[in-house]
């Protein structure tokens, strides 16, 4: 599995981390549910136009600029409980492999030299622009008067530009003194560490074109003339996640728009980090994800409910030996099958989360009724642990101190919340909003959780 990592000239933002959490859920599913060994490589882009511009503006070398952001990225991954990749290669560690790949492309008639560097000849690549997108329906923008006609050829190697490039981001090579283009690093790294063909490639949906389409052209273009459009593609399966949008306006989160939110700023506490992870992993990876305070409150409430149940289950005595399986144990067995079936349907994690909360609801009911089915409750705890092999939300981020839960809501506040839940069930949303106002006036927040329940927390 090869995944596109961050460009390390600034902290990765929450939109980036949706991609990394999507990688994590798929990798956990393959490993824990299907028993596969996953060789995962995630690149780090440490040379491009933005990085060079930042080096020039700050007076720092390439490594002086990028090293701290790589370290922060790795810390953030730990804070989100992401299973580490086998390797995190940096583009600049693969300059010889990049130069070699470009030379092979030239030998296959797919790379050519022009004034400012080396380019990929897209018109010579059969099937270019038809793998992940359909470029035949996209017209090229008109070129300004007096300039060459536009084309889709892209840079493989950029020659040194005086006043633009910095010494720490230039390499002498048979292609001339310069630096790699953006797309070529992934083909060179992937081939070096995983081979000519891979099973899975993942990234954000904005990378389909041009980045991933160009990567296909490069990786398939170095196989030789007899195999460039051969029977097997470079990658067996492409997985692209949707964007994270800000608030109700649905604006995509990105550095270029200036609305990027970092993990350290938005999720300072351990529950915040876990809540963001839960928000992402319980949503479908291909759908847009709205990041709002309300969504995060609901995620925190869901985790508090889970934590409370797990604490109660862990405090139970061991069940007596023998005895037939009761209804709760049977529900757990059926729920495991439903959970796995949901994941098999294009990683339907919202369905999988609903299955998990079905077990939660049944275990809570058994505890309220006296907890006599100790064997069933023990099986519920095991089943929730199995679900968490994929969701990965039962953890304490490294270096954090566990947050203490607040006190129980007063009885009259709990009664208001119960009445609100009933009003929502009866679709009397006006009454539900009125009751929410009373709850908040009493100094409490109410958040809906999966399964039609709710969580109360002090404001």
């Amino acid at each position: 599995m090869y995944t596109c990592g961050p460009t390390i000239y600034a902290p990765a933002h929450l939109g980036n981390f949706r991609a990394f959490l999507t990688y994590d859920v798929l990798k956990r599913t393959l490993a824990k549910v299907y028993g596969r060994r996953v060789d995962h490589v995630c690149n780090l882009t440490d040379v491009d136009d933005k990085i060079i511009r930042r080096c020039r503006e700050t007076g720092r070398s390439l490594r002086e600029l990028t090293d701290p952001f790589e370290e922060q990225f790795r810390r953030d991954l730990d804070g989100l409980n992401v299973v580490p990749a086998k390797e995190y290669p940096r583009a600049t560690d693969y300059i010889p492999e990049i130069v070699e790949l470009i030379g092979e492309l030239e030998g296959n008639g797919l790379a050519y030299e022009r004034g400012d560097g080396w380019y990929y000849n897209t018109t010579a690549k059969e099937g270019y622009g038809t793998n992940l997108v359909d470029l035949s329906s996209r017209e090229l923008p008109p070129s300004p008067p007096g300039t060459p006609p536009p084309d889709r050829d892209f840079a493989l190697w950029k020659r040194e530009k005086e006043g633009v490039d910095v010494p720490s981001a230039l390499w002498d090579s048979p292609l001339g003194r310069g630096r790699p283009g953006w797309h070529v690093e992934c083909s060179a790294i992937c081939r070096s560490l995983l081979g000519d063909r891979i099973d899975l490639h993942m990234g954000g949906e904005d990378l389909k074109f041009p980045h991933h389409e160009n990567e296909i052209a490069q990786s398939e273009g170095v196989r030789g003339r007899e195999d460039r459009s051969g029977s097997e593609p470079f990658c067996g399966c492409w997985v692209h996640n949707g964007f994270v949008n800000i608030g109700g306006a649905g604006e995509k989160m990105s550095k270029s728009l200036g609305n990027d939110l970092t993990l350290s700023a938005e999720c300072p506490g351990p529950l915040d980090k876990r809540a963001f992870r839960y928000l992402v992993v319980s949503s479908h990876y291909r759908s847009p994800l709205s990041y709002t305070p309300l969504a995060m409150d609901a995620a925190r409430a869901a985790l508090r409910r889970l934590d409370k149940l797990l604490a109660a289950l862990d405090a139970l005595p061991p069940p007596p030996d023998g005895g037939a399986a009761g209804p709760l144990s049977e529900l757990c067995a059926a729920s495991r099958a439903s959970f796995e079936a949901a994941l098999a349907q294009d990683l339907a994690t919202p369905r999988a989360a609903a299955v998990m909360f079905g077990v939660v609801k049944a275990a809570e009911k058994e505890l309220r009724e006296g907890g006599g089915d100790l064997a069933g409750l023990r099986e519920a705890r095991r089943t929730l642990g199995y679900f968490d092999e994929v969701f990965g939300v039962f953890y304490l981020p490294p270096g954090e101190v566990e947050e203490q839960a607040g006190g129980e809501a007063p009885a009259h506040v709990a009664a208001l919340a119960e009445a609100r839940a009933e009003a929502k069930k009866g679709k009397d949303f006006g009454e539900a909003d009125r009751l929410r106002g009373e709850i908040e006036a009493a100094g409490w927040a109410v958040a809906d959780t999966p399964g039609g329940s709710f969580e109360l927390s002090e404001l």
Side-chain angles (χ1 to χ4, degrees):
M1 181 166 85
Y2 185 89
T3 60
C4 287
T7 302
I8 46 176
Y9 73 104
H13 59 69
L14 297 186
N16 301 140
F17 283 112
R18 186 187 191 185
F20 307 132
L21 288 168
T22 299
Y23 309 160
D24 192 53
V25 168
L26 179 54
K27 184 164 64 172
R28 285 169 174 265
T29 299
L30 291 168
K32 303 300 183 180
V33 177
Y34 291 98
R36 299 296 185 98
R37 190 193 79 225
V38 182
D39 290 333
H40 177 200
V41 172
C42 178
N43 77 302
L44 302 174
T45 296
D46 63 341
V47 58
D48 79 341
D49 294 344
K50 295 185 288 290
I51 290 174
I52 289 167
R53 188 182 311 119
R54 191 68 59 85
C55 286
R56 206 168 54 245
E57 291 168 351
T58 61
R60 285 181 282 178
S61 70
L62 198 72
R63 294 302 296 240
E64 289 170 341
L65 177 74
T66 58
D67 280 358
F69 294 118
E70 178 183 354
E71 293 167 7
Q72 182 174 349
F73 172 64
R74 290 174 181 264
R75 285 196 303 272
D76 287 345
L77 290 181
D78 288 343
L80 290 171
N81 199 27
V82 171
V83 177
K86 183 179 179 181
E87 296 192 55
Y88 291 98
R90 296 171 67 120
T92 56
D93 291 334
Y94 286 80
I95 297 299
E97 290 82 357
I98 289 171
V99 171
E100 179 183 358
L101 186 144
I102 296 171
E104 291 181 38
L105 288 173
E106 182 195 15
N108 289 335
L110 293 171
Y112 64 93
E113 185 178 12
R114 67 189 194 198
D116 59 348
W118 287 79
Y119 284 76
Y120 191 99
N121 184 359
T122 57
T123 58
K125 177 65 172 74
E126 183 179 350
Y128 177 77
T130 63
N131 297 281
L132 303 174
V133 294
D134 180 11
L135 293 187
S136 63
S137 61
R138 300 188 188 184
E139 291 188 4
L140 288 166
S143 56
T147 62
D151 60 44
R152 290 194 169 98
D153 293 356
F154 56 90
L156 297 167
W157 186 263
K158 298 183 177 185
R159 287 242 171 82
E160 177 181 8
K161 291 182 181 178
E162 190 174 346
V164 174
D165 287 306
V166 295
S168 58
L170 289 168
W171 291 266
D172 292 314
S173 82
L175 305 173
R177 183 169 172 79
R179 59 185 173 90
W182 172 34
H183 312 294
V184 72
E185 70 180 78
C186 287
S187 290
I189 290 171
C190 193
R191 184 168 73 151
S192 297
L193 297 179
L194 296 175
D196 287 332
R197 295 183 178 90
I198 60 174
D199 296 307
L200 289 162
H201 198 312
M202 303 181 73
E205 65 179 357
D206 55 333
L207 296 181
K208 286 183 181 179
F209 183 81
H211 184 53
H212 288 163
E213 192 72 33
N214 290 352
E215 194 178 338
I216 292 170
Q218 294 164 161
S219 296
E220 295 183 357
V222 293
R223 292 183 189 168
R225 292 183 183 276
E226 73 287 349
D227 192 31
R228 290 214 300 269
S229 59
S231 58
E232 291 188 58
F234 153 61
C235 176
C237 181
W238 291 85
V239 180
H240 294 96
N241 62 273
F243 296 134
V244 171
N245 296 330
I246 297 290
E251 184 179 60
K252 171 193 167 187
M253 186 184 296
S254 74
K255 291 186 180 79
S256 61
L257 294 175
N259 63 2
D260 52 311
L261 305 174
T262 63
L263 185 70
S264 58
E266 285 293 300
C267 303
L271 184 61
D272 303 317
K273 293 180 178 68
R274 292 175 60 212
F276 179 70
R277 179 180 174 97
Y278 181 75
L279 176 64
V280 172
V281 303
S282 62
S283 65
H284 195 267
Y285 75 91
R286 284 193 288 109
S287 301
L289 175 65
S290 292
Y291 179 80
T292 65
L294 188 61
M296 284 291 287
D297 284 345
R300 291 186 192 93
L303 290 175
R304 289 191 186 100
R305 183 180 175 188
L306 287 166
D307 290 347
K308 183 178 179 180
L309 175 61
L310 292 183
L313 294 175
D314 289 340
L316 291 172
D321 294 332
L328 185 52
S329 294
E330 293 170 0
L331 172 71
C332 289
S335 296
R336 281 183 179 237
S338 298
F339 183 83
E340 293 171 4
L343 295 174
Q345 294 294 318
D346 195 23
L347 286 183
T349 52
R351 277 174 47 200
V355 170
M356 177 172 71
F357 271 92
V359 174
V360 168
K361 195 170 184 179
E364 289 172 335
K365 182 173 183 291
E366 175 61 31
L367 287 169
R368 283 196 303 270
E369 294 176 352
D373 184 6
L374 288 173
L377 290 169
R378 175 62 61 89
E379 186 57 33
R381 179 63 181 89
R382 279 196 291 262
T383 300
L384 292 173
Y386 175 66
F387 294 163
D388 196 57
E389 295 281 3
V390 172
F391 283 130
V393 294
F394 303 157
Y395 74 102
L396 183 66
E400 301 278 13
V401 177
E402 193 163 5
E403 295 173 349
Q404 299 299 312
E408 293 291 324
H412 75 283
V413 173
L416 289 171
E418 291 284 0
R420 176 181 171 275
E422 287 300 316
K424 286 194 69 181
K425 193 180 298 182
K427 301 191 182 302
D428 189 351
F429 298 113
E431 175 67 3
D433 288 343
R434 186 190 70 77
L435 290 165
R436 178 191 284 275
E438 286 195 36
I439 293 166
E440 291 176 350
W444 290 80
V446 59
D448 297 315
T449 60
S453 189
F454 58 85
E455 186 80 19
L456 289 164
S457 58
E458 286 186 271
L459 291 171

